[in-house]
Amino acid sequence: MTPFTYHRAADVAGALRLAGQSAASRYLGGGTNLVDLMRETIERPDALVDVSGLSQAIEVDARGGLRIGAAARNSAVAAHPVVRERFPLIARALLAGASGQIRNMATTGGNLLQRTR
Amino acid sequence: MMANTPPEKNPMEFTINGSPVQATFDPRTSLLDLLRDHLGLTGSKKGCNQGACGACTVLVDGERINSCLALAVQYQGRRITTVEGLAEAGELHPLQRAFVVHDGFQCGYCTPGQLCSAIGMMGEARRGMPSVVTQDLAAPVAMTLDREELRERMSGNLCRCGAYNGIVDAIVETFDIGIPEGAASGSATRREPA
């Protein structure tokens, strides 16, 4: 694994600022995909900006849509009562993927930023 | 500029099996390597080192994770429990005793991960976490998990010896899981791995 500098972002503005400080930074959620790719030196970031401390909120917005914080864990989203009652396809899709251990680590933000495979 | 700079080390602190641990580590260190190589806690095993086999499963604040995919630096300040921390006052955890009684292992390599995973899994079930075999997602999750559901919930832990029936029996006995009426016993529903 290539050496990197680790930063933990306290908020969104901080995450953007930290990520802008280096040319090859990556955001780090649960690490279930990125850490593996870094170990294989497929990904070689010089800085990791840990965003797992950002919002984990799961809430319905004014238009009836679902708003999920980037740091919300897959397991938390799948277990959320509103997701299960009103957006069951999301819960089912999450529960059909990976394992219990990985669902406890993986985040919504990390899923969206996952490298194409 | 950064490419040739030696990696900086980060001071980290954890609570591991109830004891505070403070040290300075390269941020590339996985939680598994921290436990095994730096702290001598070799109970957690390195199988695939890529999150597929579950041999490295530990509990973080009671939740099961794969420690091989976890950068230790992310878990600072957290309460980590490994297989070495399951026994209390010299007494094996009831699940450990049940694994012995039910032959929940042969070679034992996957056992530390199976134990931690099962304890985390039961916590999930008690908190109402559904699984992919849950019929009605809108209904509360009942504590009558059948063996098929236990297998699904434990599917992140592979056992190359194939001790799955014993593992399921040990979990059923330990956590007093109600098996639904008419459900067949483990041996009767035995299935070959896909």
Side-chain angles (χ1 to χ4, degrees):
Chain A
M1 199 183 288
T2 309
F4 58 85
T5 308
Y6 170 84
H7 305 284
R8 186 168 171 84
D11 51 34
V12 172
L16 293 169
R17 182 175 50 77
L18 289 164
Q21 284 174 355
S22 68
S25 63
R26 287 283 184 276
Y27 293 113
L28 175 68
T32 55
N33 195 236
L34 186 57
V35 170
D36 191 33
L37 293 172
M38 287 167 62
R39 201 171 269 150
E40 301 291 337
T41 65
I42 295 166
E43 289 280 358
R44 284 170 289 182
D46 60 10
L48 286 185
V49 178
D50 183 352
V51 292
S52 64
L54 302 190
S55 172
Q56 299 187 14
I58 302 164
E59 52 204 10
V60 176
D61 69 17
R63 291 176 300 167
L66 191 63
R67 192 174 174 87
I68 304 172
R73 307 282 164 182
N74 279 15
S75 51
V77 177
H80 195 277
V82 171
V83 179
R84 286 161 59 184
E85 283 168 29
R86 296 181 48 189
F87 303 91
L89 186 64
I90 293 176
R92 289 232 178 264
L94 289 170
L95 292 169
S99 65
Q101 290 95 318
I102 286 180
R103 289 193 292 272
N104 282 340
M105 304 172 76
T107 63
T108 301
N111 270 266
L112 294 177
L113 289 179
Q114 197 173 35
R115 190 178 192 272
T116 305
R117 57 182 177 182
Chain B
M1 179 182 99
M2 300 198 63
N4 295 320
T5 310
E8 40 185 287
K9 294 196 168 187
N10 298 50
M12 306 184 199
E13 55 180 309
F14 313 88
T15 302
I16 299 180
N17 296 330
S19 301
V21 171
Q22 279 183 306
T24 301
F25 299 105
D26 186 316
R28 289 174 290 182
T29 312
S30 71
L31 182 56
L32 178 61
D33 287 343
L34 174 90
L35 294 167
R36 290 182 55 84
D37 299 343
H38 297 276
L39 303 178
L41 294 169
T42 54
S44 306
K45 295 295 186 275
K46 186 179 282 188
C48 67
N49 208 31
Q50 54 182 9
C53 77
C56 67
T57 303
V58 300
L59 298 167
V60 175
D61 295 325
E63 291 197 353
R64 55 181 172 163
I65 67 160
N66 289 330
S67 63
C68 73
L69 289 181
L71 291 177
V73 69
Q74 277 200 289
Y75 289 86
Q76 296 174 75
R78 310 288 293 275
R79 190 169 49 86
I80 294 150
T81 305
T82 70
V83 70
E84 289 93 340
L86 297 183
E88 281 186 30
E91 289 286 316
L92 290 180
H93 186 284
L95 184 63
Q96 291 175 303
R97 286 202 299 273
F99 264 60
V100 174
V101 170
H102 292 282
D103 290 331
F105 50 82
Q106 287 182 39
C107 82
Y109 196 84
C110 73
T111 311
Q114 299 277 3
L115 291 164
C116 289
S117 185
I119 291 167
M121 182 271 298
M122 286 312 303
E124 290 165 12
R126 287 187 180 124
R127 291 194 301 275
M129 172 77 68
S131 82
V132 74
V133 298
T134 302
Q135 296 275 328
D136 180 3
L137 277 178
V141 173
M143 278 307 298
T144 49
L145 307 173
D146 63 23
R147 285 167 196 271
E148 217 52 46
E149 170 138 31
L150 282 177
R151 285 167 194 271
E152 157 56 29
R153 288 177 183 259
M154 288 296 293
S155 63
N157 292 81
L158 305 183
C159 170
R160 235 196 72 168
C161 302
Y164 295 110
N165 288 331
I167 292 168
V168 171
D169 287 345
I171 293 171
V172 167
E173 180 191 271
T174 304
F175 298 108
D176 194 21
I177 298 164
I179 298 292
E181 277 297 302
S185 74
S187 53
T189 57
R190 184 173 195 148
R191 287 186 178 183
E192 296 306 319

